[in-house]
Amino acid sequence: MAFFSFLTNAYRGTSYQNKLLISYFVFFMIPLLFFAIFSYRQSSAVIIEQATKISDMYLQQAKTELNAQLTGMMSLSQQIARQKRIRAILEQPPLNLSISQQYDDLNEIDEMVQRTVFSTDIHDVRIYVDDDFLYSVRNLLTYPMSQLDEAGWFDRESLLISGAAFTPVYPYRYLTFGRTDVISALSLIRSSRDFATMTGLVSVDLKLETLLDVLQYVDFSAQGRAYIVNLQGQLICGLSSSDQRLLTDFIADDAHYLQHPGIVMHNQSVLSGLTDPGFGGWRILVVSPVRPLLASSARLRIQLVFFAVLVGIIVYFLAWFYARSNAGRIMGLVRKMRVVQSGNFDVNCVVDSADEIGELQSNFNMMIREIRLLLDEQYTLGQSLKDSELKVLQAQINPHFLYNTLDLILWTAKNNKPDEVCDIVINLSRFYRLSLSNGEALITIGDELEHVRLYVALQNLRFKKKIALILEAAPDVRQLRILKLLLQPIVENSILHGIQNLDDREGEIEIKAWRDEQSLVLAVSDNGIGIDRNEISRILLREPARRDRPDVGRFGLFNIRERLRVYYGDAARLDVASTPGKGTTIRMTIPLTILAERQERT
């Protein structure tokens, strides 16, 4: 909500030309962006849908090829195992046969196997026979049955029950081929006299590479993994499509996808496919990342972004040209207004047409003429009003002190103290010489401090209780010129309403003047009885005095604050801080810029 308000305010605060530009640009670009986003999403959805169909097609094709390989292996294995002649040869007692008979039997077995094997994918056929046959140690077609006891891929008990089975992938060292990774289709040759007796074993071997060839093309993304698993979910073999690496275990959480048959999308990031159990209960699992599938969609997105940027640039320049041509006259009027806003009213706008904008230009010229007349009148009236206010406020202050001083001279003369009368008159003469200051409204801070010193000296002659006056101001500060009679009324209030009511200590007044980076500060502090907060508010608001304190208030602080406001403006402040029983501090703050401005005008 705050962000929307920020945009609204920013739009309202921009120029008319920019508003036209933004409006044209936004109103054209928003439908374009929506169209681009819609096209990208639709293309992505179509690509994923097509990828799902293609993945299912590849998966079913791989399943068919795998079933064909497994079926061919098992069919060949059982076909050899069921040859009656081979069973009859292997059931003969080896020890009763001559060498020539065994040689003839081996040739016959070899011929029958060669006639049976047609597939070029079959790597080898092995027949395990009784160790007492002389040809059992040939290790080419025939092998001794005792080797099965050491083979990890052979499970005698399971095979006696099922009669046929597939082995997992295992390495086998052939006499002619060397060590090779294979899987085998095993078929038991049972005795015709005892079904539970194993006369021999046929092993039809398929190279692992042949299975991997089946998996190589099932992942058409070329970035995923493909697995062959049995019915129990155990891994037969696997292939990483990106680097053609053999996988002997599931990667990451790929085994989790065995719970999702068919083609399934996972979190819009992974596409998994799992076939139904095929021959031997084997299944194919493929796990493909979606990102490579969306490569064409990503290219389309880049093209759409490029197109949107290109169209946006063209639209921007067209909108800028149109907005500039329509807003040029208004912008000219705005520039005139900005000149007036800076304080220069000596402007005139050319009326270039009789339309609405021309009428606005004409009204602007008439308004400027009226404003100039009003400003001249206001300046004259303002100067007269300020002079009148200052004279009235100053007239309220000077008599206030004069009454008290004349009263002091009167009582001193009645007491026959001519020397003191002389001192009072001299100090009073110097005091009023500074007060009058040749009719100038401004005096230096040094003269203002001297003015206060003379006033305190006169008061010390008047009252028995002496007042210590401390003045503190740097030489450069003493040269600054301020409105006269700012400090004396404050000191007068400190004496009459604060210090004179002290019973337990001598009075002390401290005046400090300094300037910081921005302001001149004048501070008057006393150790009098202080003023409570309500009295301060009443005095500054010039409310009637309380009945129990009729001597508090009157003209002093209120007049000083009003004189500061009238002469220096609202930026000048008068602050009062007081603690009853401890004293009062009155601080006046005048901005240096306004102080310098007033000095230049005087």
Side-chain angles (χ1 to χ4, degrees):
M1 191 66 181
F3 180 71
F4 179 77
S5 300
F6 171 77
L7 291 180
T8 303
N9 294 332
Y11 179 80
R12 291 175 178 174
T14 190
S15 65
Y16 176 69
Q17 177 177 336
N18 288 338
K19 286 180 179 177
L20 287 177
L21 176 61
I22 293 172
S23 299
Y24 295 147
F25 184 76
V26 169
F27 290 155
F28 186 85
M29 289 302 296
I30 286 179
L32 179 62
L33 290 177
F34 272 111
F35 173 75
I37 294 173
F38 175 78
S39 299
Y40 171 70
R41 290 185 176 275
Q42 287 297 108
S43 64
S44 299
V46 170
I47 290 173
I48 291 177
E49 181 181 357
Q50 293 297 323
T52 301
K53 293 180 180 179
I54 294 173
S55 180
D56 183 61
M57 180 182 69
Y58 276 43
L59 197 61
Q60 295 303 322
Q61 182 178 348
K63 175 188 174 182
T64 302
E65 186 174 351
L66 177 63
N67 285 341
Q69 293 286 358
L70 296 179
T71 302
M73 289 174 60
M74 186 57 70
S75 176
L76 177 60
S77 177
Q78 291 186 352
Q79 186 176 356
I80 295 174
R82 292 173 182 174
Q83 288 282 348
K84 295 180 179 181
R85 180 56 187 157
I86 293 178
R87 182 189 299 117
I89 292 174
L90 296 182
E91 285 182 342
Q92 299 177 93
L95 299 178
N96 296 335
L97 298 176
S98 64
I99 295 176
S100 61
Q101 286 180 321
Q102 293 191 36
Y103 179 76
D104 293 338
D105 291 341
L106 176 60
N107 287 335
E108 189 175 358
I109 293 174
D110 196 7
E111 291 177 1
M112 286 187 289
V113 170
Q114 289 181 6
R115 288 197 302 266
T116 307
V117 177
F118 297 103
S119 175
T120 58
D121 292 332
I122 300 301
H123 180 61
D124 196 16
V125 175
R126 289 174 287 153
I127 301 177
Y128 289 88
V129 300
D130 193 319
D131 289 16
D132 291 334
F133 286 110
L134 295 177
Y135 50 79
S136 65
V137 294
R138 181 189 181 202
N139 286 333
L140 185 63
L141 182 60
T142 56
Y143 298 81
M145 200 176 297
S146 60
Q147 289 184 1
L148 296 176
D149 297 331
E150 300 174 358
W153 46 267
F154 176 70
D155 185 355
R156 182 183 297 272
E157 294 182 0
S158 176
L159 196 59
L160 285 172
I161 296 174
S162 61
F166 287 101
T167 67
V169 177
Y170 65 96
Y172 190 82
R173 185 173 298 278
Y174 296 93
L175 184 63
T176 55
F177 305 119
R179 186 180 183 279
T180 307
D181 291 331
V182 296
I183 64 167
S184 302
L186 305 179
S187 293
L188 196 65
I189 302 176
R190 299 179 184 273
S191 172
S192 59
R193 294 181 293 272
D194 185 1
F195 186 79
T197 301
M198 184 175 72
T199 302
L201 178 69
V202 179
S203 174
V204 176
D205 301 339
L206 186 71
K207 292 176 66 174
L208 176 61
E209 286 81 353
T210 305
L211 286 183
L212 296 181
D213 289 341
V214 175
L215 298 180
Q216 185 173 4
Y217 301 104
V218 69
D219 175 26
F220 74 97
S221 72
Q223 297 292 326
R225 286 85 60 191
Y227 306 94
I228 296 177
V229 296
N230 60 21
L231 196 58
Q232 290 75 34
Q234 297 171 336
L235 180 63
I236 303 299
C237 63
L239 179 69
S240 174
S241 302
S242 58
D243 54 6
Q244 298 297 304
R245 177 169 48 92
L246 175 66
L247 301 177
T248 58
D249 198 0
F250 290 104
I251 293 180
D253 297 329
D254 285 356
H256 169 73
Y257 300 117
L258 292 173
Q259 303 175 10
H260 303 279
I263 305 298
V264 181
M265 178 68 70
H266 304 272
N267 299 323
Q268 298 298 316
S269 60
V270 175
L271 188 68
S272 71
L274 179 64
T275 63
D276 297 329
F279 188 81
W282 286 15
R283 296 179 293 175
I284 298 176
L285 171 65
V286 60
V287 180
S288 303
V290 174
R291 176 176 293 182
L293 305 179
L294 296 177
S296 58
S297 178
R299 289 192 296 271
L300 176 62
R301 178 178 59 186
I302 295 174
Q303 293 172 357
L304 288 174
V305 170
F306 176 78
F307 176 74
V309 171
L310 179 62
V311 172
I313 293 174
I314 296 174
V315 170
Y316 176 84
F317 281 106
L318 291 177
W320 177 82
F321 178 78
Y322 186 73
R324 180 180 176 85
S325 63
N326 280 275
R329 296 166 63 203
I330 294 180
M331 292 300 297
L333 184 58
V334 169
R335 285 190 289 271
K336 298 291 184 180
M337 290 181 179
R338 288 174 180 169
V339 173
V340 172
Q341 186 179 6
S342 66
N344 182 7
F345 291 90
D346 189 18
V347 296
N348 185 63
C349 187
V350 177
V351 181
D352 55 7
S353 178
D355 58 8
E356 290 81 358
I357 298 179
E359 184 179 356
L360 185 62
Q361 294 167 337
S362 177
N363 291 337
F364 172 78
N365 291 335
M366 183 172 63
M367 178 189 69
I368 293 300
R369 288 194 295 271
E370 294 293 332
I371 289 177
R372 282 200 293 260
L373 292 175
L374 290 175
L375 286 177
D376 293 340
E377 294 178 2
Q378 184 67 25
Y379 179 78
T380 303
L381 291 175
Q383 289 298 111
S384 300
L385 179 61
K386 280 193 174 184
D387 292 342
S388 300
E389 287 182 348
L390 286 173
K391 289 178 180 178
V392 170
L393 291 172
Q394 187 168 319
Q396 290 177 337
I397 293 173
N398 289 336
H400 185 65
F401 171 68
L402 181 60
Y403 299 152
N404 294 332
T405 307
L406 291 177
D407 186 62
L408 173 63
I409 295 174
L410 174 63
W411 286 103
T412 305
K414 284 184 178 182
N415 291 331
N416 294 319
K417 297 178 179 179
D419 293 336
E420 292 187 13
V421 170
C422 183
D423 291 338
I424 294 173
V425 171
I426 291 174
N427 288 338
L428 182 62
S429 174
R430 295 174 61 191
F431 176 83
Y432 270 101
R433 188 180 300 113
L434 291 173
S435 297
L436 295 173
S437 62
N438 296 325
E440 295 183 3
L442 302 180
I443 63 174
T444 65
I445 292 179
D447 288 342
E448 183 73 2
L449 293 176
E450 175 64 16
H451 189 252
V452 170
R453 190 194 65 78
L454 292 171
Y455 173 78
V456 173
L458 289 171
Q459 295 294 52
N460 282 336
L461 291 172
R462 179 183 177 191
F463 299 109
K464 292 181 179 181
K465 182 177 292 186
K466 302 303 180 182
I467 302 167
L469 178 64
I470 302 172
L471 302 177
E472 183 178 330
D476 60 329
V477 176
R478 288 176 177 266
Q479 299 304 316
L480 297 177
R481 294 168 58 82
I482 61 172
L483 190 64
K484 64 184 178 182
L485 294 178
L486 290 180
L487 296 176
Q488 182 271 329
I490 298 176
V491 173
E492 180 180 356
N493 279 345
S494 297
I495 296 173
L496 298 180
H497 307 311
I499 295 175
Q500 288 301 317
N501 295 321
L502 290 176
D503 296 328
D504 57 344
R505 61 183 181 273
E506 294 295 326
E508 181 180 293
I509 298 176
E510 182 180 15
I511 301 177
K512 292 183 179 180
W514 73 92
R515 61 181 174 183
D516 54 25
E517 294 182 356
Q518 298 180 344
S519 305
L520 170 67
V521 182
L522 303 170
V524 180
S525 303
D526 65 59
N527 64 341
I529 62 173
I531 314 172
D532 64 42
R533 186 177 300 175
N534 293 332
E535 287 294 339
I536 294 174
S537 299
R538 184 193 63 75
I539 292 171
L540 294 179
L541 293 175
R542 202 176 187 182
E543 295 178 352
R546 286 169 36 185
R547 294 182 179 180
D548 60 337
R549 300 284 303 277
D551 57 337
V552 178
R554 298 185 182 178
F555 300 117
L557 293 180
F558 177 81
N559 278 347
I560 293 173
R561 192 181 71 168
E562 286 300 300
R563 293 176 68 220
L564 285 172
R565 181 190 63 80
V566 171
Y567 196 77
Y568 293 112
D570 294 332
R573 301 196 320 271
L574 185 144
D575 301 311
V576 181
S578 182
T579 303
K582 293 185 178 181
T584 302
T585 297
I586 297 175
R587 178 182 297 219
M588 290 176 287
T589 305
I590 304 172
L592 291 175
T593 55
I594 299 178
L595 187 72
E597 181 182 342
R598 293 295 184 270
Q599 288 179 351
E600 291 177 359
R601 289 186 179 181
T602 304

